[in-house]
Amino acid sequence: ASLTNALTEIAKPFEAKHKTPVRLSFAASSALAKQIEQGAPADVFISADTQWMDYLDGKGKIDRASRVNLLGNTLVLIAPKGKGFPVRVDKNFDFAKALKDKLCTGVVESVPVGIYAKEALTHLGWWGGVKGRVVGTEDVRAALNLVERGECEVGIVYETDARQSKKVDIIGRFPDDSHTPIVYPAARVTPSEDARKFLEHLRQDSAGKIFARYGFKRLAE
Amino acid sequence: MLTPEEWSALWLSLKVSVWCVAAILPPGVLLGWLLARKQFYGKALVEAVVHLPMVLPPVVTGYMLLLALGRNGWLGRWLHEGLGVSVAFSWKGAVIASAVMSFPLMVRAVRLAMSLIEPRLEQAASTLGAGPLRVFFSITLPLAAPGLVTGAILSFARSLGEFGATITFVGNIEGETRTLPLALYTYTQTPGTEEPALRLALISMAAAFAALIGSEILTRRAEQRLSGD
Amino acid sequence: MLTPEEWSALWLSLKVSVWCVAAILPPGVLLGWLLARKQFYGKALVEAVVHLPMVLPPVVTGYMLLLALGRNGWLGRWLHEGLGVSVAFSWKGAVIASAVMSFPLMVRAVRLAMSLIEPRLEQAASTLGAGPLRVFFSITLPLAAPGLVTGAILSFARSLGEFGATITFVGNIEGETRTLPLALYTYTQTPGTEEPALRLALISMAAAFAALIGSEILTRRAEQRLSGD
Amino acid sequence: MLFLDVGLNRGRFRLEVRLECDEGVTGLFGPSGSGKSTALGIVAGLLRPDRGRIVLDGETLYDGADGVCLPPHRRRIGLVFQDSQLFPHYSVKGNLLYGLKKIPERERRFAFDGIVDLLALRPLLNAHPRRISGGEKQRVALGRSLLASPRLLLLDEPLASLDTGLKAQILPFLQKIRDELKLPMIYVSHALPEILQLTDRLAVLDQGRILAAGRLDEILQRGSEARHFGPDNILAVTVELHDLESGCTLARFGNLPLVLPLRTDQEIGRTAYVSVHRGEIALSRNAVPELSIQNQWPGRVSKIESRGSGVQVYLDAGVPLIAEISPRAYRELALQEGEIMYALIKTRSFAYLAARTMLDQSASP
Amino acid sequence: MLFLDVGLNRGRFRLEVRLECDEGVTGLFGPSGSGKSTALGIVAGLLRPDRGRIVLDGETLYDGADGVCLPPHRRRIGLVFQDSQLFPHYSVKGNLLYGLKKIPERERRFAFDGIVDLLALRPLLNAHPRRISGGEKQRVALGRSLLASPRLLLLDEPLASLDTGLKAQILPFLQKIRDELKLPMIYVSHALPEILQLTDRLAVLDQGRILAAGRLDEILQRGSEARHFGPDNILAVTVELHDLESGCTLARFGNLPLVLPLRTDQEIGRTAYVSVHRGEIALSRNAVPELSIQNQWPGRVSKIESRGSGVQVYLDAGVPLIAEISPRAYRELALQEGEIMYALIKTRSFAYLAARTMLDQSASP
Ligand SMILES: Nc1ncnc2c1ncn2[C@@H]1O[C@H](COP(=O)(O)OP(=O)(O)OP(=O)(O)O)[C@@H](O)[C@H]1O
Ligand SMILES: Nc1ncnc2c1ncn2[C@@H]1O[C@H](COP(=O)(O)OP(=O)(O)OP(=O)(O)O)[C@@H](O)[C@H]1O
Ligand SMILES: [Mg+2]
Ligand SMILES: [Mg+2]
């Protein structure tokens, strides 16, 4: 879902070049994975996390050889614009004390951003202190929104999302080693030629530039 | 005024909602009548099954539809291979998702209205030579008209706003299954799109308004027809 | 049999649903009565506003609730600072979200039932010395009982299944706002959790079943009381 | 011809009815709550009896033993409900046409316009059935049933809420359809004179049971049912002579000679019904000679009942008679059951029932 | 005392009523659809007139000019609906108690048990109001209204669907509450004898207008309303003498002497009402001497109407009379409007109305 704008933009030149319409379906990775499992007529699947790609892989629904880790992302701590407080992202910082109120992120059991956030917080030893104050949201946009509205004092979201909002400040970045790497794997679902071409297209520089503009990290294969 | 995407979403939403209401009206009326007038074994079970889609999160309902009616689902495969009909990932699937979600509203409204009809009017019709079918269509149904209107408007509204089951069952494909709520969702997934999101919300409201005012007129007419005002 | 988390979600869901029904019953009855019996200026507007939460995607409704009742919302700030009441991120907020979503169902059901009551019965009561209040409570309300029951069961079911508005408005906080649908959602978002998801779905169904069977008994009693069977 | 022998339990009420109705009109008579409407409902097929048989013109409509039960719409029996039950979603006209529309042209027994004019419904045709008066509703219900061309018509107090003017127009019309179309009817009413304008074949119902059925004179003969006809004694008499000289009609009541007011339109040799109110029967221990009261009949006091303002004295004078006397008179006479008393009835105390109608067409099978 | 002067437009129907009711009972009489129920609805406050005034015992209930309109529940006016309108969610008992419950003990005018017994409702108390018969419903509605202790009672054909036995019990009871409790009533009925058992103060309504109001004898005097009383001529006569010898009661009708059947219970000097059917009036061009027919009155033929089976001849004999003769007789007599004819009426053709009741209590203001 975080890919909505970027992908829409990237699809345009592809359509122009290959004269094939690209049909994009944006939904939660889980929903998409299940649709594909049930035979959705998809050519390419791009997931916001590895687990749903693994899931489909396990069911033999994707072309394992075509799987690539397309993009990466960073986890950041945000606060409403101008309402931030100084944070040092390391184990010695008493985050629980600095945090007066609630923290929002994706649901920590299931929504990818939440899972990463919990890992990071645990890694930093902050989890125990904030556990009861974590507001799980349906997706990363909702978490961002709550912070924008000032409903939550801080939030943990992807950098891509945080950067596009003018109403929040990034007050901290979680080191890459504090959580499982955030990757966006992509793979072909059908062996069709169009699928191959589209996957190819995604990995070209022209696409890469657009991704980068939205704050994604391009991953070397 | 509206962008082509907005038009397409609005048009799709209306199409899905109208088809949804049209599709559930007949079975809803029938079931509502059965529940209001007949005592049968397993009635409570039927009730419960009908209401199930209301009780479960829409996503779950959508998932169950996917399991049943997806190309690999037991029913879907049969439909697909046997009849060449495929509902998954098409607007027809969106109609099905909406229909399942709205069905309990239709059934309940019809049942309520029918249970409040004076049964002696039906008896009077039968002594005038009207068989069960004519009684049903010329007496029961018109007298339950306010219930049908209520059921239709609730279903229409529910269907206009249906999101969870639809996106889970048929995905979010522009021009095919991206109804107003899904388009709205798509915007909310990207930052800085408050303005188009708001536009879509307003379009939804306008569509709803128009439908509700139409229904209000229908409702009032149905009520007046019975009271003679 | 159930894990503590499941218990907690079930308990919370029931609490939220019961409170939701209790909270919307009085205003729903009042508004249903107004719509059924009175003609006033802006009636169609009131109708439309009431139905709005059905038409918009639940997430949008949740978002609007947040705008209004969040800590920084115009109403929420006043509630928070003036009265010290905060509904955001608490189960009370979940009740509000459910209430807003179910309200149109309640209003419509009550309105439908009231519009089908014979108004001359109310007149008869008034010639026996009953003032408007007594007429309402001793005649109108009991005669509309099937509508109240229908409204209550639809609202209860809707509320048991409410997901989008709730998660948007009050988030998903274990023990506080994680109702059955939210817990179920959590499972559907992770692969390989079919088994606990299924358990939760079954629990939801069981709760719904119990409620529906209860309502069925109430409905039947209300219908029989009026027909004298 | 209708044959009916059914039983039905309705909670606190139990109906047990055995009845045969010939062509023509049968009056169903009985106090409030005696089961008249219930019986009609069973005949029409709206209520399913617990046991028994219903046969109409040789066709079995219901047979408890065989499980046969024809649904109402296949019985072609019209029923005018006591509470008209008009369809609120049709206009008056729509109500009238409801049954008519489905009848093939040549099977129609009544013309729409004829019925509308007879029942004075023309100005109401476009009205809403909730917006018309009580009597108007009842007329619409009657018209609606007639227009459905039934082969048997059940009328549940169709004229109870109509004024005499309308009654006087509708009754002759019912007589006409009885005579010309030979449409059999069962006519429920608690107004005996009204029934007698259509028929003297009666069934008397009480507490769910047929107490008596047959021609009114036969019923009266049996006697014990007299109390059902209200405060009037009804006598079936045989007209013997019109004495123009003395201005009397002479008749015979059982073995008793009777002096009635002169009414030359009553045919000699025929049965006529006359009524005399209980309060107009005086009692005397002996016959009183040289009195203007010309009817003096001895009878045995079979029962004495003190009720409200008066004392009811049941007299067996070959036929049963009930007299009501004041408590004071009762004390002074020191009346005992078993005594022989004379009933004294003035000629003018007699009133003719169903006065200006020939009763006999419907009465003879 | 009720004063009523209102107008109401109801689509095709327009009501314009001006009426004063004294203590006691006022009978409201008129053909079906004439506006009787509408008028009661206005008095009870269920219908709001377009203009006018309603005053009860000095209290203004409605004043179109001032915008005063007391709601029904504050009028304390009981209304027995034509179609009983029982509450389906209460038992019969609950219906009866509905109005009673809220009346303070000492303001209650009737005891629950008394009403239940009077109306023979005891076995029905726990029944559901949809499960009782038509007459039973009407009795419950009557009881319910009485138990609410109104200060004015409006009765819309309360006895239309009751059998004579019950009527005969309930009418004296209504007489009693009229006399003892002095509860004023407006009694709608199309049965004149029934009304006359309660009162001879009438208002005659037709097509939404009061044609006549006042004592029946005064109304009859004015004459033109006679046709509203159905096929009977109603005469208000003054009783002059009971001639025991010849078995007649002599009375005066306007200037005409009248020979009636003997009825010693009619007080000398008082007004009595007698009826004679149109068909029992014979017409003759000359007085016929030496005939048993004792009443022979000359009158001018004011109108001749041919209707259905008979010819209606309107005769002005000081007071209006209507005779119905056969078309053949009409031809043979070659009757012309304006001619003087003799109306011949046999003594026995007269029937007393409201026979066994004193009328006068309610009649005198
Ligand atoms: N639906 C019903 N269920 C049970 N009992 C009923 C029902 N309807 C009527 N009864 C009872 O059955 C008896 C007969 O009722 P029915 O309506 O046949 O009387 P009826 O002779 O038509 O009286 P009326 O002249 O008052 O209309 C009454 O005691 C009544 O209380
Ligand atoms: N709700 C209504 N709206 C408009 N017209 C009505 C309404 N109810 C009755 N009418 C008409 O008003 C007239 C008077 O009706 P109303 O009920 O007062 O008559 P009524 O004298 O009581 O007759 P009945 O003896 O038949 O009951 C009739 O012509 C009737 O058709
Ligand atoms: Mg009956
Ligand atoms: Mg009326």
Side-chain angles (χ1 to χ4, degrees):
Chain A
S2 337
L3 294 164
T4 310
N5 278 6
L7 276 180
T8 312
E9 207 171 304
I10 289 165
K12 294 231 167 74
F14 178 83
E15 284 180 321
K17 197 165 117 201
H18 297 276
K19 307 265 182 291
T20 19
V22 180
R23 304 227 280 166
L24 299 165
S25 178
F26 301 107
S29 307
S30 55
L32 294 170
K34 284 186 176 140
Q35 287 165 5
I36 288 167
E37 181 191 356
Q38 293 302 320
D43 291 319
V44 173
F45 176 48
I46 308 175
S47 173
D49 56 13
T50 48
Q51 56 174 355
W52 285 108
M53 190 61 89
D54 294 343
Y55 173 80
L56 285 182
D57 200 357
K59 306 243 165 192
K61 294 283 175 187
I62 56 164
D63 176 2
R64 189 174 293 171
S66 71
R67 175 171 172 170
V68 287
N69 283 338
L70 193 61
L71 300 167
N73 214 337
T74 310
L75 210 56
V76 295
L77 190 63
I78 55 168
K81 196 151 200 89
K83 300 253 182 71
F85 52 89
V87 173
R88 265 183 304 116
V89 184
D90 67 43
K91 294 190 180 176
N92 301 325
F93 183 72
D94 190 354
F95 181 68
K97 193 162 155 228
L99 182 71
K100 300 282 178 298
D101 200 17
K102 297 246 172 5
L103 177 154
C104 348
T105 186
V107 177
V108 294
E109 289 87 355
S110 56
V111 177
V113 70
I115 298 171
Y116 296 133
K118 183 178 175 186
E119 280 175 11
L121 290 172
T122 312
H123 179 82
L124 291 167
W126 295 357
W127 176 250
V130 299
K131 200 166 68 180
R133 291 185 274 164
V134 173
V135 176
T137 61
E138 192 180 358
D139 51 39
V140 64
R141 296 296 320 163
L144 178 65
N145 191 15
L146 286 176
V147 179
E148 283 180 343
R149 305 256 340 124
E151 297 297 336
C152 280
E153 199 183 357
V154 299
I156 300 175
V157 300
Y158 299 127
E159 180 164 10
T160 46
D161 296 283
R163 284 239 301 248
Q164 286 175 48
S165 168
K166 297 180 190 64
K167 295 183 196 142
V168 296
D169 293 326
I170 295 176
I171 58 171
R173 278 190 168 69
F174 292 92
D176 284 348
D177 64 357
S178 65
H179 53 82
T180 338
I182 305 172
V183 292
Y184 292 70
R188 278 194 330 209
V189 179
T190 55
S192 85
E193 184 60 12
D194 285 341
R196 194 190 58 73
K197 281 198 208 133
F198 189 68
L199 216 48
E200 193 92 320
H201 177 73
L202 288 178
R203 292 167 66 188
Q204 271 158 17
D205 270 354
S206 56
K209 277 199 201 107
I210 296 174
F211 280 132
R213 183 146 47 77
Y214 282 97
F216 290 103
K217 285 193 288 191
R218 285 186 75 193
L219 294 184
E221 275 84 272
Chain B
M1 220 185 82
L2 299 186
T3 67
E5 288 78 27
E6 288 167 352
W7 269 120
S8 130
L10 174 60
W11 169 241
L12 185 65
S13 266
L14 292 179
K15 180 166 84 170
V16 167
S17 301
V18 168
W19 272 101
C20 163
V21 172
I24 63 176
L25 201 52
V29 166
L30 195 70
L31 192 56
W33 177 75
L34 279 176
L35 291 174
R37 284 293 156 84
K38 307 279 167 192
Q39 298 302 330
F40 50 89
Y41 197 74
K43 186 168 167 180
L45 190 74
V46 172
E47 281 270 314
V49 169
V50 167
H51 284 76
L52 218 52
M54 291 197 76
V55 177
L56 294 176
V59 174
V60 174
T61 307
Y63 184 53
M64 298 209 292
L65 283 174
L66 195 61
L67 287 183
L69 288 168
R71 301 229 174 130
N72 301 327
W74 52 274
L75 199 65
R77 180 182 311 230
W78 178 79
L79 275 179
H80 188 55
E81 292 172 4
L83 305 173
V85 178
S86 172
V87 292
F89 311 110
S90 79
W91 67 271
K92 289 176 213 133
V95 172
I96 293 182
S98 288
V100 168
M101 297 302 288
S102 328
F103 195 57
L105 301 176
M106 178 66 84
V107 171
R108 266 284 167 173
V110 172
R111 172 188 177 161
L112 174 58
M114 293 209 171
S115 74
L116 294 175
I117 295 179
E118 171 64 74
R120 285 162 61 78
L121 289 173
E122 297 171 338
Q123 297 188 344
S126 73
T127 65
L128 295 168
L133 224 61
R134 183 162 182 233
V135 169
F136 182 78
F137 283 105
S138 67
I139 307 293
T140 316
L141 212 52
L143 288 176
L148 297 186
V149 174
T150 292
I153 192 63
L154 285 179
S155 304
F156 189 82
R158 184 76 185 82
S159 167
L160 266 188
E162 211 317 288
F163 169 74
T166 306
I167 199 171
T168 310
F169 180 35
V170 293
N172 179 357
I173 304 167
E174 199 195 324
E176 184 69 36
T177 63
R178 188 177 294 168
T179 56
L180 281 172
L182 269 64
L184 193 47
Y185 164 79
T186 310
Y187 281 123
T188 62
Q189 290 304 299
T190 38
T193 48
E194 279 80 9
E195 196 258 343
L198 192 66
R199 282 172 62 93
L200 277 176
L202 289 178
I203 295 171
S204 295
M205 289 187 201
F209 249 73
L212 284 168
I213 287 175
S215 88
E216 188 55 37
I217 294 170
L218 277 181
T219 310
R220 211 171 295 174
R221 196 170 299 169
E223 285 171 9
Q224 279 174 359
R225 196 166 172 208
L226 297 185
S227 74
D229 278 320
Chain C
M1 221 185 84
L2 299 187
T3 67
E5 287 78 27
E6 287 167 352
W7 268 120
S8 136
L10 173 61
W11 169 240
L12 186 65
S13 267
L14 292 179
K15 181 164 84 170
V16 167
S17 302
V18 167
W19 272 101
C20 163
V21 172
I24 63 175
L25 200 53
V29 166
L30 195 69
L31 192 57
W33 177 76
L34 278 176
L35 292 173
R37 285 293 156 86
K38 307 280 166 190
Q39 298 302 329
F40 50 89
Y41 197 74
K43 186 169 168 180
L45 190 77
V46 172
E47 281 271 313
V49 170
V50 166
H51 284 75
L52 219 54
M54 291 196 76
V55 176
L56 295 175
V59 174
V60 175
T61 306
Y63 183 64
M64 299 210 292
L65 282 175
L66 198 60
L67 288 186
L69 286 168
R71 296 216 185 144
N72 298 320
W74 51 276
L75 199 66
R77 183 184 310 229
W78 176 79
L79 275 178
H80 188 55
E81 289 172 6
L83 305 174
V85 178
S86 170
V87 293
F89 307 123
S90 81
W91 68 271
K92 289 176 214 134
V95 171
I96 293 181
S98 289
V100 168
M101 298 301 289
S102 328
F103 194 57
L105 302 175
M106 178 66 83
V107 171
R108 267 284 167 174
V110 172
R111 172 187 177 161
L112 174 58
M114 291 206 173
S115 74
L116 294 175
I117 294 179
E118 171 64 76
R120 287 162 60 76
L121 289 174
E122 298 170 338
Q123 298 188 343
S126 72
T127 66
L128 294 169
L133 224 63
R134 184 164 181 230
V135 169
F136 183 79
F137 283 106
S138 66
I139 307 292
T140 317
L141 212 53
L143 288 177
L148 267 70
V149 173
T150 293
I153 192 64
L154 284 180
S155 304
F156 189 82
R158 185 76 185 80
S159 167
L160 265 188
E162 213 315 288
F163 168 73
T166 305
I167 198 170
T168 309
F169 180 37
V170 294
N172 181 341
I173 305 169
E174 200 194 323
E176 183 69 34
T177 62
R178 186 178 295 171
T179 56
L180 281 173
L182 269 62
L184 189 45
Y185 172 76
T186 304
Y187 285 119
T188 63
Q189 294 301 301
T190 27
T193 48
E194 280 79 9
E195 195 258 344
L198 194 65
R199 280 173 63 94
L200 276 176
L202 289 177
I203 295 171
S204 294
M205 291 187 201
F209 247 74
L212 284 167
I213 287 175
S215 89
E216 190 55 38
I217 294 170
L218 276 181
T219 310
R220 209 171 295 174
R221 197 171 299 169
E223 286 171 7
Q224 278 176 0
R225 196 166 170 209
L226 296 184
S227 75
D229 278 321
Chain D
M1 223 219 53
L2 177 74
F3 169 80
L4 181 72
D5 178 7
V6 292
L8 172 64
N9 235 328
R10 287 190 110 176
R12 78 202 116 67
F13 177 74
R14 168 137 197 88
L15 187 83
E16 275 299 342
V17 164
R18 194 192 149 90
L19 186 62
E20 274 179 70
C21 301
D22 289 343
E23 306 291 297
V25 182
T26 303
L28 193 54
F29 186 86
S32 172
S34 57
K36 306 183 292 296
S37 300
T38 305
L40 294 194
I42 289 176
V43 174
L46 302 178
L47 288 170
R48 200 191 165 109
D50 299 333
R51 60 140 211 92
R53 248 156 64 80
I54 309 174
V55 182
L56 177 63
D57 295 335
E59 185 187 6
T60 301
L61 304 183
Y62 172 80
D63 192 328
D66 291 8
V68 176
C69 186
L70 220 60
H73 66 282
R74 293 189 33 220
R75 297 192 179 189
R76 292 203 52 197
I77 296 180
L79 173 54
V80 180
F81 287 83
Q82 202 167 359
D83 44 355
S84 34
Q85 300 292 351
L86 302 183
F87 305 134
H89 57 302
Y90 286 120
S91 64
V92 164
K93 185 170 179 183
N95 270 278
L96 290 171
L97 290 177
Y98 188 87
L100 181 73
K101 273 189 299 197
K102 299 283 149 152
I103 309 278
E105 202 87 43
R106 70 206 141 63
E107 288 179 28
R108 294 187 186 168
R109 301 183 120 175
F110 304 97
F112 178 75
D113 287 312
I115 295 289
V116 165
D117 288 332
L118 170 82
L119 298 169
L121 295 174
R122 180 90 42 207
L124 301 176
L125 283 181
N126 294 315
H128 187 281
R130 290 229 169 120
R131 307 268 158 218
I132 61 178
S133 81
E136 287 164 353
K137 279 181 196 157
Q138 207 51 32
R139 281 181 272 156
V140 175
L142 177 58
R144 182 175 73 170
S145 282
L146 287 172
L147 287 172
S149 303
R151 56 176 172 169
L152 167 65
L153 187 60
L154 311 175
L155 300 155
D156 202 347
E157 310 205 18
L159 308 184
S161 52
L162 295 185
D163 49 288
T164 17
L166 271 167
K167 252 186 208 162
Q169 279 180 280
I170 296 174
L171 269 173
F173 171 75
L174 291 178
Q175 287 162 4
K176 219 170 95 183
I177 61 177
R178 169 197 72 191
D179 300 336
E180 292 177 10
L181 296 173
K182 307 252 179 269
L183 177 62
M185 296 180 234
I186 299 183
Y187 190 95
V188 167
S189 173
H190 49 255
L192 195 57
E194 196 180 296
I195 294 186
L196 288 179
Q197 295 215 19
L198 285 171
T199 184
D200 71 346
R201 289 198 68 89
L202 284 190
V204 181
L205 205 56
D206 191 28
Q207 299 186 41
R209 253 150 250 274
I210 298 277
L211 287 190
R215 285 182 46 146
L216 179 54
D217 51 348
E218 297 158 12
I219 296 176
L220 292 170
Q221 212 83 53
R222 271 167 270 154
S224 56
E225 289 78 20
R227 64 186 172 91
H228 295 291
F229 300 114
D232 287 315
N233 290 282
I234 311 265
L235 314 180
V237 301
T238 311
V239 179
E240 297 204 318
L241 182 76
H242 297 301
D243 182 349
L244 297 171
E245 198 61 32
S246 65
C248 305
T249 290
L250 299 180
R252 189 153 278 286
F253 174 46
N255 297 322
L256 305 169
L258 212 60
V259 186
L260 298 173
L262 182 66
R263 262 290 269 291
T264 46
D265 60 353
Q266 300 289 337
E267 243 178 278
I268 307 273
R270 282 253 132 116
T271 300
Y273 295 100
V274 294
S275 73
V276 54
H277 191 274
R278 297 177 180 189
E280 293 187 80
I281 301 182
L283 294 181
S284 147
R285 213 171 279 285
N286 303 105
V288 189
E290 305 196 347
L291 181 75
S292 72
I293 300 182
Q294 289 175 283
N295 299 294
Q296 304 198 7
W297 307 328
R300 180 179 304 277
V301 175
S302 60
K303 190 162 70 168
I304 301 172
E305 254 178 32
S306 187
R307 173 146 51 108
S309 57
V311 177
Q312 317 288 320
V313 181
Y314 291 73
L315 213 64
D316 182 359
V319 288
L321 278 180
I322 306 178
E324 181 176 306
I325 58 177
S326 70
R328 191 173 144 197
Y330 171 61
R331 274 195 311 277
E332 285 180 2
L333 279 171
L335 219 56
Q336 299 289 332
E337 287 186 13
E339 276 185 289
I340 303 290
M341 296 294 290
Y342 279 82
L344 312 186
I345 312 173
K346 289 168 283 186
T347 297
R348 287 124 204 122
S349 297
F350 288 105
Y352 289 87
L353 288 174
R356 278 157 296 277
T357 323
M358 295 294 279
L359 294 166
D360 312 70
Q361 289 122 320
S362 72
S364 49
Chain E
M1 225 219 51
L2 178 73
F3 169 80
L4 182 71
D5 178 7
V6 292
L8 173 65
N9 235 329
R10 287 189 112 175
R12 79 202 116 68
F13 177 74
R14 167 136 198 89
L15 188 81
E16 275 299 342
V17 163
R18 195 191 147 90
L19 187 63
E20 275 180 69
C21 301
D22 290 343
E23 307 291 296
V25 182
T26 303
L28 192 56
F29 187 85
S32 173
S34 57
K36 306 183 294 295
S37 301
T38 306
L40 293 193
I42 288 176
V43 174
L46 301 179
L47 288 169
R48 199 191 165 110
D50 300 331
R51 61 141 211 89
R53 249 155 63 77
I54 309 172
V55 182
L56 177 63
D57 295 336
E59 185 187 6
T60 302
L61 303 183
Y62 171 79
D63 191 328
D66 292 8
V68 177
C69 187
L70 220 62
H73 66 282
R74 292 185 36 217
R75 298 194 178 187
R76 292 203 52 197
I77 296 179
L79 172 56
V80 180
F81 287 82
Q82 202 167 359
D83 45 354
S84 34
Q85 300 293 352
L86 300 183
F87 305 133
H89 57 303
Y90 287 119
S91 65
V92 165
K93 186 170 179 182
N95 271 278
L96 290 171
L97 290 176
Y98 188 86
L100 182 73
K101 274 189 296 196
K102 297 284 149 149
I103 308 278
E105 202 85 45
R106 71 206 141 64
E107 288 178 27
R108 294 187 184 169
R109 301 182 120 177
F110 303 97
F112 178 76
D113 286 314
I115 295 289
V116 166
D117 288 333
L118 170 82
L119 299 169
L121 295 173
R122 181 91 39 209
L124 302 175
L125 284 181
N126 294 316
H128 186 282
R130 291 227 169 123
R131 307 267 158 220
I132 61 180
S133 81
E136 287 163 353
K137 280 181 196 156
Q138 207 50 31
R139 281 181 272 156
V140 176
L142 177 59
R144 184 175 72 171
S145 282
L146 287 171
L147 287 172
S149 304
R151 56 178 172 166
L152 166 66
L153 187 59
L154 312 175
L155 300 156
D156 202 347
E157 312 206 18
L159 308 184
S161 53
L162 295 186
D163 51 287
T164 17
L166 270 167
K167 253 186 206 162
Q169 278 180 282
I170 295 173
L171 268 174
F173 170 75
L174 291 177
Q175 288 161 4
K176 218 171 94 184
I177 61 177
R178 170 197 71 191
D179 301 336
E180 292 178 9
L181 296 175
K182 308 253 179 267
L183 178 62
M185 298 180 232
I186 299 183
Y187 191 95
V188 167
S189 173
H190 48 257
L192 196 58
E194 196 180 295
I195 294 188
L196 289 178
Q197 295 216 17
L198 286 171
T199 184
D200 69 348
R201 289 198 70 88
L202 285 189
V204 181
L205 204 58
D206 192 28
Q207 298 186 40
R209 255 151 249 275
I210 296 277
L211 288 189
R215 284 183 48 146
L216 178 56
D217 51 347
E218 296 158 13
I219 297 176
L220 292 170
Q221 211 85 52
R222 269 166 273 155
S224 57
E225 288 78 20
R227 65 187 170 91
H228 296 289
F229 300 114
D232 286 317
N233 290 282
I234 310 266
L235 315 181
V237 301
T238 312
V239 178
E240 296 202 318
L241 181 78
H242 297 301
D243 182 350
L244 297 171
E245 198 61 29
S246 66
C248 304
T249 290
L250 301 180
R252 188 153 278 285
F253 174 47
N255 298 320
L256 304 169
L258 213 63
V259 186
L260 299 173
L262 182 67
R263 260 292 269 290
T264 47
D265 60 354
Q266 302 288 338
E267 243 179 276
I268 307 274
R270 282 253 131 118
T271 300
Y273 295 100
V274 295
S275 73
V276 55
H277 191 274
R278 298 177 180 189
E280 291 186 80
I281 302 181
L283 295 181
S284 147
R285 212 172 278 285
N286 304 105
V288 189
E290 304 195 350
L291 182 75
S292 73
I293 299 182
Q294 289 174 283
N295 299 292
Q296 304 198 6
W297 307 328
R300 180 179 304 278
V301 175
S302 59
K303 191 164 68 169
I304 301 172
E305 254 178 32
S306 186
R307 172 147 49 107
S309 57
V311 176
Q312 318 288 319
V313 181
Y314 292 72
L315 215 62
D316 181 0
V319 287
L321 278 179
I322 307 177
E324 182 177 306
I325 59 177
S326 68
R328 192 175 142 195
Y330 171 61
R331 275 195 309 278
E332 285 180 1
L333 279 171
L335 218 54
Q336 300 289 329
E337 286 185 16
E339 276 186 291
I340 303 290
M341 295 295 289
Y342 279 80
L344 313 186
I345 312 174
K346 290 168 283 185
T347 297
R348 287 126 205 121
S349 296
F350 288 105
Y352 289 87
L353 288 174
R356 279 156 296 277
T357 322
M358 294 294 278
L359 295 167
D360 310 72
Q361 290 122 320
S362 70
S364 49

